[in-house]
Amino acid sequence: MPVSSIVGTFRTIAVVGACALVFVGCACGAKKPATVAAAPSTSTSTSTTTTAPRPTIIAPLTGAPTTDRSAAARPALVVKIDNADPPARPQLGLNQADVVYEERVEGSVTRFAAGFQSTGADPVGPVRSGRMTDLPIVSALTRPLFAWSGGNPGVSRAIRAAPLVDLGPGVVADAYTRRGVGGKKAPHDLYTATSKLWAHAPDDARPPAPIFTFRADGDRLATGARPVREVHVDFGVTRGAPVDWRWDANRKGFARWQRGTPHLDEKGIQSAPQNVIVQFVDYHRNGDADVGGNPVYVAEQVGSGACWVLTAGHLVEGTWSKASNEAVTTFTTADGAPIALTPGRTWVELSAPGGATVVR
């Protein structure tokens, strides 16, 4: 469930330092700054002014350039977001997240783990509880901040023992608020703000390493890429799913539909990330049940399996692999080459095998 290959490299950029920021033009044979002649003075002498080039910073989770140095240096922040349909919709913050994971939780619901780093969202939510499926996601993000509403005793112990910074309401109560917008009621009305959460980042927090390989300008799509119009993902539940991803050439992204309607945020904007990865994983019951008696599911993300990568209006079939909770998930073609994404935002669907189909 995290996701792909750190093995990939950018053609025109160099990854700088352990902070995983990439600066273009620092050590890649960049041209010297241009020298501009100044207007002559009353004497016959002239002077020159040198304009220093501004280095480009590459956001580690999107592969996109940014000039916001403070944002690029901050840690990743993962917010658990409700997707009970209809009481949780519309949400806030999904369209600002660098990466979103959709996971099956209890019998009739999916939930999101939304990762922020290059941009934030104030407010974001509704915030819900953590799950064991979250552990392999957060563990690969270089000790991210984690915003959640809590969990049962076993899950809570596991999450607090994971390599993350717990920023739930029990730790930073002032970062959360109840919003009854649209008639939402508890437990679907808890919201937070990324700015408030980042304010609680520890002094030794650092940005994540890249978790995907991205294409540089001019790079070709992976071998075997074929045009795709729509992909349908069914989590085998009656609420919160199914999901359809339809290529939108005007937005250069895959527009998300849920239960047959456009998935809009509170501002009326439909989710349309540049990339969607369908990662086929096995689910098992962990013995827990929700208040309705429905079994709770956990996605098995350590190991390997099949994947579909949707990018630039194409589908690439491949294989995912993850050696441990802390390892980054790699996504490769049949010949072992990394599958490179379009720079931008990415959604990862943790789908059971056979849970997705291509719509012709």
Side-chain angles (χ1 to χ4, degrees):
M1 115 45 305
V3 333
S4 143
S5 182
I6 305 299
V7 178
T9 57
F10 301 99
R11 292 185 176 178
T12 58
I13 58 179
V15 177
V16 176
C19 65
L21 304 179
V22 184
F23 296 84
V24 174
C26 295
C28 304
K31 295 182 179 179
K32 295 182 179 180
T35 300
V36 181
S41 66
T42 53
S43 68
T44 57
S45 63
T46 60
S47 62
T48 59
T49 301
T50 300
T51 302
R54 173 179 289 182
T56 300
I57 305 170
I58 301 300
L61 299 184
T62 67
T66 178
T67 58
D68 190 338
R69 290 180 174 275
S70 61
R74 65 194 173 195
L77 163 61
V78 177
V79 182
K80 285 306 301 291
I81 297 181
D82 196 353
N83 193 38
D85 195 350
R89 291 176 66 187
Q91 297 96 343
L92 276 173
L94 291 175
N95 290 332
Q96 287 70 47
D98 290 348
V99 56
V100 178
Y101 294 84
E102 183 169 19
E103 59 193 60
R104 183 179 182 181
V105 283
E106 51 265 14
S108 63
V109 180
T110 64
R111 193 164 292 172
F112 302 121
F116 299 86
Q117 201 272 337
S118 69
T119 56
D122 293 353
V124 56
V127 180
R128 288 303 302 274
S129 59
R131 290 291 189 271
M132 297 299 287
T133 295
D134 300 327
L135 297 179
I137 296 172
V138 299
S139 297
L141 288 172
T142 317
R143 197 167 174 252
L145 314 184
F146 189 60
W148 56 316
S149 65
N152 67 38
V155 171
S156 296
R157 284 193 298 270
I159 287 178
R160 291 183 178 120
L164 55 79
V165 179
D166 179 7
L167 291 184
V171 180
V172 287
D174 61 341
Y176 292 82
T177 187
R178 295 284 179 181
R179 293 175 73 244
V181 175
K184 289 179 181 174
K185 300 177 181 180
H188 311 290
D189 63 345
L190 183 65
Y191 288 76
T192 186
T194 57
S195 61
K196 293 181 179 180
L197 295 169
W198 270 314
H200 291 281
D203 292 340
D204 62 349
R206 56 194 177 94
I211 59 172
F212 302 114
T213 298
F214 293 98
R215 295 194 314 279
D217 289 342
D219 283 358
R220 301 172 64 90
L221 293 174
T223 302
R226 67 181 192 272
V228 64
R229 180 176 65 87
E230 181 178 343
V231 167
H232 176 83
V233 183
D234 190 339
F235 286 87
V237 297
T238 57
R239 295 169 54 206
V243 172
D244 293 286
W245 293 100
R246 301 175 184 173
W247 173 244
D248 185 332
N250 291 328
R251 298 180 64 182
K252 297 183 179 179
F254 288 88
R256 178 181 167 92
W257 297 65
Q258 185 168 298
R259 295 183 68 197
T261 61
H263 195 154
L264 309 177
D265 65 10
E266 253 186 49
K267 300 176 182 179
I269 300 174
Q270 186 176 17
S271 298
Q274 284 71 40
N275 311 287
V276 177
I277 298 174
V278 183
Q279 182 179 342
F280 295 103
V281 299
D282 292 323
Y283 279 89
H284 69 268
R285 299 182 180 184
N286 69 350
D288 294 332
D290 66 8
V291 293
N294 299 302
V296 174
Y297 291 91
V298 179
E300 299 177 7
Q301 300 164 69
V302 175
S304 61
C307 67
W308 292 354
V309 176
L310 312 181
T311 188
H314 289 70
L315 182 151
V316 182
E317 296 187 45
T319 300
W320 68 266
S321 180
K322 183 176 174 69
S324 66
N325 275 1
E326 294 74 22
V328 169
T329 305
T330 62
F331 299 90
T332 56
T333 59
D335 58 4
I339 301 175
L341 308 182
T342 303
R345 306 186 191 281
T346 301
W347 282 54
V348 181
E349 299 282 7
L350 296 177
S351 170
T357 55
V358 176
V359 180
R360 303 296 181 183

